[in-house]
Each structure stands twice: as structure tokens, then as C-alpha cells.
Amino acid sequence: MIAELGLAALWLAAALAALQLVAGALALREGGAELAALVRPAAIVQGFLAGFSFLMLLVLFAQTDLSVKLVAMNSHSEKPMIFKLSGSFGNHEGSMLLWVTVMALAGALIAAVERRLPEKTMLATLAAQSFVGIGFYAFLLLSSNPFERLPVPALEGMGLNPLLQDIGLVFHPPTLYVGYVGLSVAFSFAVGALLTRQVTPDFARAMRPWVLGAWIFLTLGITAGSYWAYYELGWGGWWFWDPVENASLMPWLAATALLHSASVLASRDALRTWTIMLGVVAFSMSMVGTFLVRSGILTSVHAFAVDPERGTFILGLLVIYIGGALLLFALRAGTISEGERFSVTSREGALVFNNVMLSAILGIVLLGTLYPLLTEAFDVRVSVGPPYFNPVGAIFVVPMLLVMAVGPLLRWRKDSLTRIRLPIAIIGGALLAALILVSLLSSVSILPLLGLVLSIGLAIASFMPIRGRKLRLLPIATWGMMIAHFGIAVALFGMASESAFSEETLAAVEVGGSADVGDWNVVLTEVRPTAGPNWTALEGRMMVSYKGGDAKEIDPQSRNFWAPPQETTESALVTRWNGQLYAVIGRQAGEGRWQLRLWWKPFVTFIWYGGMLVALGGLLALIGRLMADLKRRSIKSRVAGRRAETAV
Amino acid sequence: MIRWTLWVPLALFLLFCGVAAYQLTQPKDEFIASTMIGQPLPEFDLRAASADRPGLATRDLRDGQPRLLNVFASWCIPCIAEAPQLEALRRQGADIAAVAIRDKPEDVARFLANYGNPYSRIGADDLSELQLAIGSSGVPETFVIDGQGVIRYQHIGDIRASDVPVLLQKLAEAK
Amino acid sequence: MMLSKCLFAAMSVFLAAAAIPALAQDSMPPAPYAYNQLADPEQEAKAQDLMETLRCLKCQSQSIADSDAPMAGDMRHQVRSRIAQGEEPEAIRAWLVARYGDYVSYAPTVSETTWPLFAVPLLLVLLAAIILWRRLRARS
């Protein structure tokens, strides 16, 4: 019954999306007020229905209803409850349902709260949102029905990939999804604005909070995903330039560029077409990423769950939505005037520079990810990995970071570098000092060296905008920007330090034996079997001490799951302020000895602290913007109220 | 702003769609082919992998007679599946030398006892050294080696019944 | 054994089937240098740098430096023992590329098939310069 309720709600939601599209489109063409009045309620009810449908899927997974195919394929009665729930989106159909749910909820939210857009643009935006939504509803209902019943209920479920039975993975996918799909709002806004040709600062101000919201979730999702890969995969790597990772990075890069260009449009009425383009590109990257991963077209990623039919369907959606939006852009963008002009040395100048750099980085990541696909069409197989992405990306990242340090100090429209010569001198001095210090202390290769030096310079520069201003009067949004920029510096420092100073020890150790890594001493005191709800494991008990200090116990495991059968390594981490000890117990090495893998990774945690700071900065900026909006709105209504009074 | 630049994004996107659509219609080829076809075998001398067959060295494959070189392992499940086809190849006159990857003699012996022994020689490659040297990326794989010890053909994956005539043909061409 | 890397689960969680179960496992101990470092730290660093840029042939999208697949272990052994014998990292890479093609190396070099990987960034630099010049020129 629950499955049928969920499916019915989904069909109804799809029907409402169709209603929303037709009513919106007709209202735009013919201008019927009754039709226009239908659009907002339709969007809101659609959101509720999609949300309800997803709730039903959660209930099915919670109950482990094995008469539902999806549950039988991806769950198991013995799994802990939290992983039963996360299993609902741990598969193709469920995650697609999450996708449309987030999309419908975002549409409902615009309909409910957005009041700044001109009515026509608003109608066009909601119509665009439902147009995109319909495609994904169709995909879900016609080829990936999550509520499908089995003719005969299964006796037991097949379980969820053990690698994914991890607490980090309970929160990481929904977070990332809110980010990916949240960008659909920017897409719909951009299409709406192209349809009505109303690209104004007000439009940018209306779009900005939505982009910011999606971007915060994307940032958190990527940060969490990176940390999960780091501790769960058992080799201490935190970013592999894997196509799946790149698929999450690309929308983030586009959204970051969009945020900045939208703020130029909002403050200075410049960069109109550029902002529209980025609005289209950001969500397009989400969709392209989804296509790449789900169609299995990139052979380098997991080949088993692929389905050419699904791939064809998604490709069709891409052609309609991305192709349609780009066509509209090509036809309309020429008729949108360029907007205000500005000088090279100005806040806009710096933002434009960084926008171009971000777009170039996006181009590199896209090229590196897709290139193997292109050569495969000619039967040539190549691999593109870190040795390509790191140096080639750095060509654009380094100038971007330098401009990022100075940009926030510049005034809008026109400024001169001589006005800010003091802060530039301080930043330059910090860069030089860091360069000398780092190169004297150790021999570090060029990229990590650049990373360390630039991160120190940027960290100092990011708080320079405080200079000469009253702290109390500084807008919250400015604090947000400074903290986000500082977060980038912190993360960069972590990355560079991990790459430059990590120490590794691989050792075969018998029980009672010890090994050293960095300033740590690790003693293997015991290896014993242990068991969890759906796994058994060998656990290595280790006493670890830093620089001869107090010993601390850690217990890395090598786990064997039985449904499905698979071995995973559970690393054990000891976090200090200045880094992390990473310990893994591997296979038996013969003669009663065990393979230990140990790493000391100085400041590695800064990578994820940095990511969280970036997200926090985004949150502050969002709060600041929303508060400013509320204030503006209440002033407006007070003025309107006073006018009404005087009229009486 | 030059107007044609506005069409560039659409053009690039359509190019991507074209490539993607083409790739969707192509069968997925997960195999990494060796780029050693036409190259002579490297020098090696492997100990015997089982008690009842001699080991394998480069000189054994340079005696003028073309051979199949089967890369297998007792722990490899598709290797069990291809055992009858190897037997069929042997019956039709192919001389099959083999390399057992990362295998213990007792395991090899048990495998041969269970699934048949079509091999004339079996070398043991404990560190996958020969495997790496000939560009093989997994088990099972079957190479055609001509009489001069030059690699002529590579078959990746288990041998199906339909592959048998192809391998015999390649073997005949290697004469 | 984690043959398959399920990174970025939000997109790959539904690829649960991709995780290859630990069925086909040989009983041999790992190769000597699969899980042991070279005594000379300088040589080990060289080997490590190289291993991080070589692709594991059995595990889709991982370098041999972070895979538990036995073949990756054997490749690590191959790399470490060759480095120990004084071979240059790039020579070892070339040796592997001669056997498996460009696929085995994560570090593409300029060649007939890979030149666009390097031409496009140059083009992007040029394009960025042109865009910036057009946007920022005479805007004072």
C-alpha cells in the first residue's frame, strides 16, 4: 500500500508539473491572470507531493519491505536502521527520486517566498523549473520506478555495498544532491530572464541567495565526500581526480564563478550575459555529471551498474535542457546589452579576472575528464590523472589566488593600486617571507611550495578588508566573504602540507612489535577477531605515542561483510592540532606478522576545516543578504503603509 | 561582442553529445590490450608450476613451432570456464604452453586434476613479472606466439567455443 | 580487498554492484616489495612518486599506490625493485607504456593522441587573455 501511495504521489506531482508548465507558458504568451494565479500553488503542491513520495520510500526501507524490488536489491533486514534509511538513496532509482524531490521542493520554495522578481520573469522561471522537472519525472516513472513490486517477495535483501555503510555516507549524498539540484533554480532563473530579457541588478539580487544556498551544500558535500574517501579507502588519499569526483567539482567551480559574477551584476549592473551563461552552465554541469556517472560511459568508473537505456534517456534530457538553454542563449544573449563599464583596477576588474580563471579551471577539469571518452571513440585509451590536473590547473589557480588576495581591497568602478599600496606591501612581504622560510626549512617540490606560500599570503590578505573599518559596522556578508576566502587559504595549506610533508611507513610487525612513522611510535599489542551486526573483522589493537608522550589506544580493522561479501579496511585516526596519524591493518604477512600501513600527515585536517570555513562563510553571506532583504522589504511596506494612511 | 561567439557553447555541447551518443551505442570494452603484438617475447626462465609438466623459458617458445601461451591461475573462476575450450584446442593440434600467475604448486595440481591439463609446459609467475612484461592485464588471457618467439595475437578473457576457430586460424597464420 | 573505488558516493552509491566481492583471491603472500618500502628513503620517495602516477590495471580508477589488488602489489614490487637497481622512474614508465599503452600512465605526455590535452590549456590562456583584454580595455 505504501509503495502504491508513493507512486501515486509521484504521478500526481508530475501532473502538477505539467499543469505548472502549461499554465505558466500560456500566461506568458497570452497574459491570462487566472492562469498565472495557478502557477504558484501548483509549484507548492508539487513540492509537497514529491516530498511525500520520498517519505514513502524511506518508510519502505525502514520496514525492509522485501516485496519492493528496490528494497530487496539494496537493503538487508540485518542492517542497522540508519543504513537502511541511507540505503533508500544509495541506488540509482532512489537517488533519482531524491533528485526530483529536491528539485520540486526548490520550486515550491521559490513559489512560496520569492517576491523580488518581476511577475513575468517569475512565471517564466517557474515554468522553466517545471519543464526541467517533467523530464526527470518521466525518467523516473518510465524507466526507473523506485516503487516497483516484485511478483514474489524476496526472502532476504541483497544488502548495500559495505563501503557505503558508513555514517559519513548517510549525510553526504543528500547534501551534495541539494547542491546539485539547487543549481536548477539558477538555471531556471537564467532561462526565465532570457525569455523575458529582463537581466537587471534586481534579478541578480533575487538569484544570489539561491545560488549561495546550493553552493553551501555543494561545498559541504564535496568536503564530506573527500574526508570519507580519505578514511574509508584506506590509503590516505583525499582527492584522486576520479571522474566521479570531477563530476562534483565542476558544478562547484561554475557556481563559485556564478556567485561572484552575480554580485557584480547586483552591485554594478555589469556582466549581464556572462552571469546568465554561468547560470545555465552551473546546472548543466550537474546534469552532465549525472549522465557521465549513471550511463557508465566513462569506463574508468564502476562498470556494473550501467545501463545504456538509462544513459540514452539522460542524454536525451541533456539535449533538450542544456541544448535548449544554450540555443536560447545564442539567440537572445545578443539582444541583452552589456551593462555598465568599469576600470581594470576595480573590484569588478578583479572579479572578472577571477571569473575567467575559474571558467578556465572548469574547462581544464572538463577536458581532462572527457578526453579519455573522446579518444576511446578512436580506439585509443589514455588516462588523465593528478600529474596532468595539478600542474595544468595551477597555471590558472596561482594567478587567481593572487588576484583573490587583492580584489576585496579594491573599490567598485575605479580604484588605483597606489591607494592600497600598504596592504599590497604587507601581502607581498608575507609571500616573500613564507617563500624564504619554507625553502630554507625543507626541500619541497614546486607545487606544494607554491601552495604553502600562497596559502599564507592569502590567509593574511583575506582579513585585510577589516583595515580602517569599524568592526561593528562591517556587514555580515563581508564577514562571510572574508571567512570563505580564509577557508580557501586554510584548505590550500592543508593540501600543500599533506603533499609536501606526509610520512609513510609500511611494515610487517608481529604482535608486540613496533614501528615508527614521523614522530610517532606504534606498538601492535594484539590482533583479535570482533564482530558487528553484519560483519566480522580482525582488529589490530595498537598503542600509539607522539614524541614519546602518553600512549593512546587505536583499533583499526579489516572487516568482512557478508551481504554482499566484501572486505573493507577501517582505518584508525589520531587527530592532533598539527595533523593526523593514519593507521591501517592489512593482511597477514606470514611468520605471525601483520602488514601495517602508517602515515603521519601534518595539517591534513586543514583541508576539511578549510572546506567547512568556506561553507560557513557562505552561510554568513546568505544570512547577511537575507537580513538586508528583510530590512528593505519592511521599509518598503512601511513607506507603502504611510502612503496609504496619507491617502486616507 | 561578435555574435558567432554566442554559438560556441552550443556547438561544443553538441560535439559532446555526439561523442556521448556514439559511445552509448558502442559495446563496452573494458579490456586493456597489450601493445606488445609484433614484439619478441622478453627473456625469462620460469620454474615449473606443477610436478608433472616442465617449466617455461623463452627458448622453449623459439623452436620454430607456433604455440598458444595461456595465462591462467587456479584461483581464477573464468579459467575454469575456458578449460573445455583449451582441451578442444589441444585436440585440434594446438600446442599450449601456460603461465600460472601467483599460484602454489598444490593449488595448480588440484586445478589441473579437476578441470583437465591441456598444457605442454607450465611456468610459475609468482610476481606477475612475465605477465607485466608481455602486457597482459589479467587472467585468463591467451597469446599466440610464432616459432621465433614473437607475440602475434592476444585474446583477452575466457575462451568461448566461438573463439576456438579464431585462435586456430591465428596459430596457422603464425607459421 | 577494495578492487573498486566508490568515490563520491552521492553519485556512485547506486553503483553498489560495482564492488567486486572478494571471491577470486590467490593464496600467495604479497610480493616482497608490494607492502615493503625501499631502505633508501630517497629511492623510496622516487618509487612512491612514480607509483602514484601509474594506473592499476585491475581496479578501474586507482593508482597502484592506493590499491590492494594483488596485481597492483606486483606492479609496486616491479617499480620498487627496478628503482632499487638504479633505473630511472621515467624509464620504468616508458617500459610499462610500451606494454600497456598510454592507459597505464596517469601522466599524459605530448603525443599524436594527447596533444589536445596540452593545446587546449594554451588556447584557454589565450582566450582568457583576449576576454580580459576586451572586457577591461578602455573601461576607465
Side-chain angles (χ1 to χ4, degrees):
Chain A
M1 197 46 208
I2 289 170
E4 284 66 31
L5 269 178
L7 188 60
L10 201 57
W11 274 106
L12 272 177
L16 274 171
L19 173 71
Q20 187 182 332
L21 172 64
V22 172
L26 282 178
L28 269 182
R29 276 179 72 106
E30 338 233 301
E34 286 109 12
L35 279 173
L38 272 178
V39 174
R40 276 182 198 256
I44 292 171
V45 178
Q46 186 205 329
F48 273 111
L49 283 169
F52 177 79
S53 179
F54 188 71
L55 197 66
M56 291 303 104
L57 189 69
L58 283 177
V59 172
L60 289 173
F61 270 86
Q63 296 176 342
T64 319
D65 184 341
L66 293 171
S67 69
V68 174
K69 191 176 165 195
L70 194 66
V71 179
M73 298 282 286
N74 295 288
S75 198
H76 194 281
S77 58
E78 282 173 55
K79 222 163 46 163
M81 176 53 84
I82 187 135
F83 298 131
K84 283 185 184 173
L85 291 179
S86 69
S88 64
F89 45 77
N91 55 73
H92 166 74
E93 288 84 354
S95 59
M96 247 12 249
L97 180 59
L98 181 60
W99 176 291
V100 296
T101 302
V102 174
M103 197 155 171
L105 288 175
L109 205 59
I110 313 176
V113 306
E114 187 56 64
R115 290 285 179 271
R116 271 165 305 189
L117 280 184
E119 196 53 28
K120 277 190 106 175
T121 310
M122 182 70 198
L123 279 177
T125 302
L126 282 176
Q129 183 83 4
S130 61
F131 183 48
V132 180
I134 285 169
F136 286 94
Y137 280 117
F139 180 46
L140 203 55
L141 290 166
L142 301 180
S143 89
S144 317
N145 177 9
F147 296 107
E148 194 180 332
R149 294 269 189 191
L150 287 170
V152 183
L155 290 175
E156 185 48 277
M158 287 165 61
L160 175 70
N161 183 344
L163 279 179
L164 309 178
Q165 296 190 28
D166 181 277
I167 195 76
L169 280 234
V170 175
F171 302 103
H172 159 62
T175 313
L176 209 46
Y177 266 75
V178 172
Y180 286 145
V181 186
L183 290 175
S184 68
V185 178
F187 181 86
S188 299
F189 268 64
V191 170
L194 278 173
L195 286 171
T196 59
R197 293 197 182 85
Q198 283 172 327
V199 188
T200 59
D202 264 338
F203 161 80
R205 263 177 231 130
M207 177 160 86
R208 194 160 49 179
W210 298 99
V211 182
L212 204 48
W215 179 82
I216 293 167
F217 278 98
L218 268 182
T219 309
L220 284 175
I222 294 173
T223 307
S226 156
Y227 190 62
W228 170 78
Y230 168 74
Y231 74 73
E232 184 68 22
L233 293 181
W235 290 87
W238 54 272
W239 191 265
F240 302 84
W241 293 108
D242 175 282
V244 185
E245 292 174 324
N246 295 350
S248 71
L249 182 64
M250 291 188 291
W252 186 86
L253 287 168
T256 309
L258 175 59
L259 270 184
H260 290 87
S261 83
S263 84
V264 174
L265 180 53
S267 318
R268 297 284 311 136
D269 197 11
L271 298 186
R272 289 178 184 163
T273 46
W274 183 265
T275 304
I276 293 290
M277 185 70 210
L278 284 174
V280 170
V281 166
F283 183 57
S284 299
M285 285 301 143
S286 295
M287 288 197 280
V288 167
T290 302
F291 168 71
L292 290 178
V293 173
R294 281 169 205 247
S295 64
I297 198 165
L298 281 173
T299 42
S300 56
V301 213
H302 335 269
F304 287 70
V306 304
D307 181 343
E309 194 194 321
R310 271 179 209 160
T312 313
F313 207 123
I314 305 182
L315 186 62
L317 293 180
L318 294 194
V319 171
I320 296 172
Y321 297 136
I322 305 179
L326 291 176
L327 181 68
L328 189 65
F329 178 83
L331 292 172
R332 284 283 168 90
T335 64
I336 295 167
S337 65
E338 258 308 292
E340 294 289 319
R341 327 208 120 213
F342 46 82
S343 135
V344 186
T345 38
S346 65
R347 181 79 67 85
E348 297 97 308
L351 284 167
V352 167
F353 184 86
N354 275 6
N355 247 278
V356 172
M357 291 300 122
L358 276 170
S359 308
I361 298 165
L362 174 62
I364 299 287
V365 178
L366 193 61
L367 175 73
T369 310
L370 293 182
Y371 195 73
L373 188 69
L374 188 73
T375 60
E376 244 172 74
F378 301 96
D379 267 336
V380 177
R381 303 195 65 176
V382 297
S383 298
V384 182
Y388 175 79
F389 287 109
N390 291 341
V392 177
I395 298 174
F396 300 98
V397 171
V398 171
M400 184 185 81
L401 290 171
L402 287 173
V403 173
M404 192 174 147
V406 181
L409 304 171
L410 291 166
R411 287 184 183 144
W412 293 104
R413 197 185 340 229
K414 190 170 179 2
D415 203 344
S416 71
L417 288 176
T418 42
R419 191 185 66 81
I420 55 164
R421 61 180 180 273
L422 182 64
I424 288 182
I426 295 174
I427 297 167
L431 286 174
L432 200 67
L435 182 67
I436 293 168
L437 200 69
V438 175
S439 10
L440 277 184
L441 280 179
S442 61
S443 60
V444 179
S445 58
I446 177 80
L447 283 182
L449 176 68
L450 275 174
L452 287 171
V453 170
L454 283 168
S455 64
I456 291 167
L458 183 60
I460 293 170
S462 54
F463 286 109
M464 284 284 184
I466 294 179
R467 214 177 54 97
R469 295 173 74 170
K470 287 216 174 73
L471 285 187
R472 271 185 312 116
L473 297 179
L474 217 53
I476 301 178
T478 308
W479 279 108
M481 176 203 65
M482 292 191 305
I483 289 173
H485 284 191
F486 180 65
I488 296 282
V490 171
L492 182 67
F493 184 79
M495 296 171 195
S497 164
E498 194 272 343
S499 149
F501 305 124
S502 277
E503 296 193 51
E504 177 184 56
T505 299
L506 306 175
V509 174
E510 55 200 358
V511 172
S514 80
D516 291 322
V517 60
D519 288 326
W520 290 83
N521 177 256
V522 177
V523 183
L524 181 68
T525 55
E526 192 186 354
V527 177
R528 52 173 189 183
T530 172
N534 51 350
W535 47 265
T536 54
L538 275 177
E539 187 173 86
R541 183 174 277 205
M542 301 174 185
M543 299 302 287
V544 300
S545 57
Y546 182 70
K547 289 191 174 166
D550 288 340
K552 190 175 178 320
E553 187 192 301
I554 53 170
D555 315 283
Q557 296 176 342
S558 169
R559 278 189 195 167
N560 276 295
F561 285 78
W562 59 74
Q566 196 188 339
E567 238 176 275
T568 69
T569 48
E570 301 291 314
S571 57
L573 301 170
V574 183
T575 309
R576 282 178 53 87
W577 67 273
N578 61 344
Q580 248 175 358
L581 173 75
Y582 189 114
V584 172
I585 182 154
R587 284 213 256 169
Q588 197 149 14
E591 299 150 33
R593 293 185 307 164
W594 297 84
Q595 290 289 351
L596 304 187
R597 300 202 292 265
L598 308 167
W599 285 275
W600 165 237
K601 292 177 174 289
F603 298 108
V604 67
T605 43
F606 278 37
I607 298 171
W608 307 292
Y609 292 147
M612 286 190 281
L613 279 173
V614 173
L616 174 69
L619 184 66
L620 286 178
L622 183 61
I623 292 172
R625 300 277 177 229
L626 291 180
M627 277 172 49
D629 271 354
L630 285 178
K631 206 186 266 174
R632 201 173 303 145
R633 220 182 268 182
S634 73
I635 289 171
K636 248 186 208 164
S637 64
R638 225 178 295 149
V639 170
R642 219 170 286 152
R643 257 188 222 140
E645 265 166 43
T646 47
V648 168
Chain B
M1 180 63 88
I2 316 162
R3 288 297 152 81
W4 64 264
T5 53
L6 296 176
W7 294 88
V8 172
L10 183 63
L12 286 175
F13 174 71
L14 290 178
L15 177 75
F16 161 76
C17 287
V19 174
Y22 173 75
Q23 287 291 3
L24 277 176
T25 61
Q26 294 304 105
K28 268 286 139 271
D29 183 4
E30 287 294 322
F31 302 125
I32 324 299
S34 168
T35 45
M36 288 290 283
I37 312 301
Q39 304 287 322
L41 284 169
E43 290 299 326
F44 62 90
D45 192 354
L46 304 176
R47 69 165 169 84
S50 81
D52 54 353
R53 289 288 188 280
L56 188 66
T58 317
R59 59 178 177 280
D60 302 325
L61 298 165
R62 270 192 208 137
D63 60 355
Q65 189 197 356
R67 276 191 184 77
L68 294 180
L69 176 62
N70 183 239
V71 183
F72 83 107
S74 68
W75 44 266
C76 138
I77 291 157
C79 298
I80 300 171
E82 74 171 359
Q85 308 310 331
L86 284 171
E87 187 54 36
L89 280 163
R90 189 193 61 81
R91 273 201 311 273
Q92 293 175 58
D95 184 281
I96 310 172
V99 186
I101 306 292
R102 302 183 56 77
D103 238 335
K104 288 179 179 156
E106 60 269 30
D107 294 334
V108 175
R110 194 177 321 118
F111 180 87
L112 297 177
N114 285 342
Y115 307 109
N117 184 352
Y119 305 124
S120 56
R121 294 173 165 273
I122 312 175
D125 192 10
D126 295 338
L127 302 171
S128 312
E129 284 172 318
L130 177 61
Q131 189 176 27
L132 289 171
I134 59 176
S136 153
S137 52
V139 278
E141 285 185 16
T142 306
F143 291 83
V144 174
I145 315 289
D146 72 10
Q148 283 69 53
V150 175
I151 303 171
R152 287 297 171 198
Y153 180 74
Q154 179 194 26
H155 176 87
I156 304 178
D158 54 318
I159 302 169
R160 307 282 164 92
S162 57
D163 300 320
V164 170
V166 180
L167 281 167
L168 287 172
Q169 169 70 23
K170 295 284 174 191
L171 207 52
E173 282 170 16
K175 277 230 159 75
Chain C
M1 182 173 66
M2 288 175 327
L3 285 180
S4 114
K5 182 166 70 179
C6 295
L7 273 176
F8 274 64
M11 304 202 90
S12 62
V13 273
F14 40 81
L15 301 170
I20 299 165
L23 287 175
Q25 179 81 55
D26 62 287
S27 58
M28 293 284 275
Y33 279 128
Y35 292 94
N36 287 301
Q37 290 156 301
L38 294 170
D40 178 356
E42 208 168 292
Q43 285 189 332
E44 173 63 21
K46 258 190 189 174
Q48 186 65 28
D49 284 348
L50 177 62
M51 291 186 300
E52 278 167 10
T53 66
L54 293 175
R55 185 168 194 154
C56 167
L57 297 163
K58 295 259 53 158
C59 24
Q60 314 292 5
S61 187
Q62 272 169 306
S63 79
I64 61 168
D66 33 36
S67 169
D68 271 318
M71 194 175 180
D74 286 347
M75 285 172 79
R76 287 197 294 274
H77 172 78
Q78 189 73 219
V79 168
R80 285 205 176 100
S81 40
R82 278 165 182 265
I83 294 270
Q85 285 158 22
E87 208 168 319
E88 279 306 307
E90 285 317 303
I92 303 171
R93 186 195 305 281
W95 186 84
L96 280 166
V97 168
R99 270 139 194 88
Y100 294 99
D102 285 327
Y103 184 80
V104 74
S105 166
Y106 271 123
T109 47
V110 187
S111 77
E112 227 171 281
T113 50
T114 56
W115 62 266
L117 277 175
F118 300 90
V120 171
L122 281 180
L123 202 72
L124 280 175
V125 172
L126 223 74
L127 204 69
I130 292 172
I131 292 179
L132 288 175
W133 188 69
R134 289 175 57 97
R135 288 246 167 206
L136 300 177
R137 173 189 53 152
R139 286 281 169 94
S140 21

